[in-house]
Amino acid sequence: MFGIGDDDGDQCPTHNLTARANKTFIAGLTFQEFNRILAGACTALACLVSFLHMWRHATHLSVPRQQVKVMRVISLVPLYAIVNLLCICFPQAQVYLDPILELIQALCLASYFMLLCEYISPHNEGRDGFFSQIEIKDKKAEGGVVQDGVQWFAQRCFMIFQYPVIALGVAIATIVTQVAGVYCQYESKTNFAKLWLSIATTLSSGMAIAAVLLVAIQLKTHMPNLKPMTKLIAIKLVVGLAFLQQIAFWILQSTHVLKETDTLTYADLHYGIPSLLSCLEMVPISFVVFWAYPVGPYKLGSLVARGAERGESQTWAPTSYQGGFLGIRAFISMLNPFDVIKATFAAFAVAAKNYSSSKLNRNDSGSKPYATGPGYQQPNNQYRPNYGGQSRGPAGLAREAFNQFGPGRNTRDGRHGHNNGYDRQNGRGYDHTRGNSYNEYHESYPMNQRR
């Protein structure tokens, strides 16, 4: 597929990325020197704001399962600025640094999705119960409503967690093909690897962004106090602005508007200026992220910790923070990728299992595929009343979770087992709008475990 080139003009062009400008740009400085100073100052400011933000969460760690993921989301801003500063200082390394940016974005998006999952419940049973009850609208589904919310959620999990895997693979492939001389960072042609790797990255990122957007939209109506769309927009500003900027420079390059001068070299025009703009953008974005992911709701004096950012009127709260001295323990947990790796393997395993089940059902000509949702007739109320008489399928775990925690048990009124969205089963409170048992939810936190 790939070739070094031929006599028909398909040879990869070369440019001197270490060349210096013949004339100074301002105050006796070349543009590259000026660029390094300005981009370095912006990067330092963005890093300072983001680090203070992460440090405040680390030193006020009352809900570790949520706040560690918040810290990972916040880290996108300083990491993005630092990598772009490196592109300015070492333009010849830009071909290796760009895939790292993509991998950072993928991990940040996965962390945001895991944060949404923590808002629902820290356990799979609670999340399955939540998505089994809510009404998920989909124009492509029969009747405009998804019949199996658990399978719908599992599919979105796979669509999101495939992004870090693809991004890592593209990063490795970029290094290998660049060393082999078949990448060609200056041209996007079919006989070079850059075009195909770019297509793979675009498809993967588009699929993941669409999936996390759909999940956030579903949670928006059920958890208005969480403001999931606000949090998503805050972090996607980074990627969105970079995407628009990339299109603008691609148009300029295609129309041959960008031309070298005595003050601007090829590296300045194609790598220096775009990276400088990215560093400049990180400064206001760091403040937007600071506002979108506040620390206040997690402070002991201002919240009930087991309802952090969830509007629950409970009286229980932890007596101390869990971040350790100066938040060091929280930063160590933030750097530990084990939960992301585990979630990725789980998403792929569930997707493979569902695919095998659906393939088996298609081959079974003697019966129709079983209904894994709570019934094909959508009830008039927002949530589905019970699982009575439903057959088990890939969503069997959700059935058990619903039977254990869901409505229809020990209810205070006789209307489909609902009690204004709140029941008590076996001594535990269940909120139908959130899909988790309060006691179960907070027994998973370290500060609520019995010693």
Side-chain angles (χ1 to χ4, degrees):
M1 179 183 292
F2 306 130
I4 302 300
D6 52 32
D7 296 334
D8 296 330
D10 289 334
Q11 189 79 23
C12 180
T14 59
H15 297 277
N16 186 4
L17 300 180
T18 59
R20 294 179 59 86
N22 297 326
K23 295 182 179 180
T24 59
F25 178 71
I26 188 173
L29 300 173
T30 63
F31 180 80
Q32 187 181 35
E33 294 169 341
F34 170 79
N35 200 2
R36 290 177 180 176
I37 295 173
L38 182 57
C42 294
T43 300
L45 180 57
C47 289
L48 177 62
V49 174
S50 299
F51 177 78
L52 288 176
H53 192 189
M54 289 188 291
W55 182 76
R56 292 191 67 198
H57 273 284
T59 54
H60 297 85
L61 199 72
S62 59
V63 188
R65 295 179 67 107
Q66 292 182 17
Q67 289 176 275
V68 168
K69 297 172 179 62
V70 169
M71 293 170 64
R72 289 176 182 162
V73 173
I74 298 170
S75 66
L76 172 66
V77 175
L79 290 176
Y80 203 89
I82 290 173
V83 174
N84 276 282
L85 178 62
L86 291 176
C87 289
I88 294 174
C89 298
F90 309 100
Q92 65 275 18
Q94 186 269 345
V95 64
Y96 305 109
L97 294 173
D98 265 358
I100 295 178
L101 279 179
E102 197 71 35
L103 180 59
I104 292 173
Q105 295 172 20
L107 293 174
C108 176
L109 192 67
S111 297
Y112 169 79
F113 175 72
M114 294 172 67
L115 176 63
L116 293 182
C117 294
E118 289 296 331
Y119 285 150
I120 300 170
S121 172
H123 303 300
N124 292 332
E125 292 83 354
R127 296 166 198 161
D128 290 345
F130 175 84
F131 282 100
S132 294
Q133 297 174 77
I134 67 173
E135 179 182 279
I136 302 175
K137 296 182 179 180
D138 188 350
K139 296 180 180 179
K140 298 181 180 180
E142 182 180 356
V145 178
V146 175
Q147 300 300 328
D148 191 345
V150 177
Q151 188 174 12
W152 180 90
F153 177 67
Q155 291 171 351
R156 270 65 198 169
C157 288
F158 172 77
M159 292 170 66
I160 292 168
F161 284 106
Q162 55 80 31
Y163 186 22
V165 177
I166 297 298
L168 178 61
V170 168
I172 297 174
T174 299
I175 296 175
V176 173
T177 54
Q178 175 66 14
V179 172
V182 295
Y183 181 77
C184 189
Q185 64 184 104
Y186 306 111
E187 294 286 347
S188 295
K189 295 183 179 180
T190 56
N191 58 326
F192 294 116
K194 179 182 178 180
L195 175 63
W196 304 107
L197 294 178
S198 299
I199 292 175
T201 300
T202 302
L203 293 177
S204 177
S205 61
M207 184 188 304
I209 293 173
V212 78
L213 182 62
L214 289 174
V215 175
I217 290 174
Q218 294 299 327
L219 296 184
K220 179 181 178 181
T221 56
H222 301 286
M223 301 178 182
N225 293 331
L226 298 177
K227 299 180 180 179
M229 290 302 299
T230 301
K231 290 178 167 59
L232 178 61
I233 292 173
I235 63 172
K236 296 314 292 181
L237 278 175
V238 178
V239 183
L241 290 176
F243 179 72
L244 294 176
Q245 180 178 299
Q246 185 178 8
I247 293 177
F249 275 89
W250 177 79
I251 294 174
L252 293 176
Q253 294 172 10
S254 300
T255 56
H256 303 287
V257 174
L258 299 178
K259 296 181 180 180
E260 299 179 44
T261 66
D262 291 336
T263 57
L264 296 174
T265 64
Y266 181 91
D268 294 333
L269 291 170
H270 293 80
Y271 304 131
I273 295 178
S275 297
L276 173 62
L277 292 176
S278 296
C279 292
L280 290 171
E281 293 160 0
M282 292 306 106
V283 176
I285 290 177
S286 64
F287 288 98
V288 173
V289 173
F290 197 102
W291 164 75
Y293 294 85
V295 183
Y298 294 100
K299 291 183 178 179
L300 295 179
S302 63
L303 94 121
V304 178
R306 62 178 176 179
E309 286 195 350
R310 299 179 62 166
E312 298 169 1
S313 57
Q314 303 292 328
T315 58
W316 180 89
T319 57
S320 62
Y321 295 117
Q322 307 297 308
F325 177 71
L326 296 178
I328 295 177
R329 186 183 304 170
F331 281 103
I332 294 176
S333 299
M334 181 191 74
L335 297 174
N336 185 2
F338 177 75
D339 56 343
V340 179
I341 296 174
K342 181 180 178 181
T344 302
F345 275 101
F348 275 79
V350 172
K353 182 179 179 180
N354 288 343
Y355 175 76
S356 299
S357 299
S358 62
K359 186 176 181 180
L360 183 63
N361 290 331
R362 287 195 300 266
N363 293 334
D364 185 5
S365 58
S367 61
K368 296 181 180 180
Y370 48 72
T372 56
Y376 285 101
Q377 295 296 326
Q378 187 68 21
N380 295 328
N381 56 338
Q382 183 180 12
Y383 298 102
R384 302 168 184 175
N386 56 54
Y387 285 90
Q390 295 301 319
S391 57
R392 288 172 57 89
L397 186 61
R399 307 291 180 267
E400 299 172 3
F402 189 91
N403 290 331
Q404 183 179 3
F405 301 119
R409 291 170 173 249
N410 302 330
T411 55
R412 301 177 188 176
D413 63 358
R415 296 172 299 177
H416 305 294
H418 288 285
N419 182 30
N420 296 328
Y422 182 83
D423 293 330
R424 294 193 63 85
Q425 295 88 24
N426 302 324
R428 290 182 288 188
Y430 185 86
D431 189 337
H432 302 303
T433 64
R434 292 171 172 81
N436 67 282
S437 168
Y438 289 138
N439 288 2
E440 177 199 30
Y441 185 95
H442 296 290
E443 285 175 358
S444 65
Y445 293 150
M447 72 286 261
N448 200 30
Q449 294 177 353
R450 296 181 179 178
R451 295 176 174 83

